[in-house]
Structures are given as structure tokens and as C-alpha cells.
């Protein structure tokens, strides 16, 4: 019985972790061109006020 738990720990946990990372990367929102431009403008204004 303990051998199965060891195999589960060595194989199952990394597989679940990898699946969770892949799932998160699939649904990550990409910035559009205007969003990236707005972010750059915000950074310029933020740097100028400091």
C-alpha cells in the first residue's frame, strides 16, 4: 500500500501541478495594443510625478 502512495506522490502531484499551471496559462488574459499603450502612458506619468 505504501508503494502506491509513494508513486502517487512522485507522479500524481507534479501532474496535477502541471495541469493547474497549463490551465492558468490557457485562460490568462492577453493585453491588447491599446491596453499596452495605456500601461506605458501610466508608467510615464507615474515616473514623471516622482
Amino acid at each position: 500500500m505504501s508503494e502506491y502512495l509513494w508513486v502517487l506522490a512522485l507522479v500524481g502531484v507534479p501532474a496535477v501541478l502541471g495541469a493547474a499551471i497549463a490551465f492558468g496559462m490557457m485562460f490568462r488574459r492577453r493585453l491588447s495594443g491599446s491596453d499596452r499603450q495605456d500601461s506605458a502612458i501610466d508608467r510615464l506619468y507615474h515616473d514623471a510625478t516622482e
Side-chain angles (χ1 to χ4, degrees):
M1 179 69 181
S2 65
E3 297 92 19
Y4 295 115
L5 291 175
W6 185 245
V7 169
L8 179 65
L10 287 177
V11 176
V13 172
V16 170
L17 183 62
I21 291 172
F23 183 79
M25 290 179 75
M26 278 186 354
F27 291 104
R28 186 174 55 174
R29 182 177 170 268
R30 302 242 186 249
L31 291 177
S32 67
S34 62
D35 289 338
R36 274 185 261 142
Q37 184 179 4
D38 290 344
S39 296
I41 292 170
D42 289 342
R43 279 195 307 273
L44 284 173
Y45 280 118
H46 179 69
D47 291 343
T49 59
E50 290 180 347

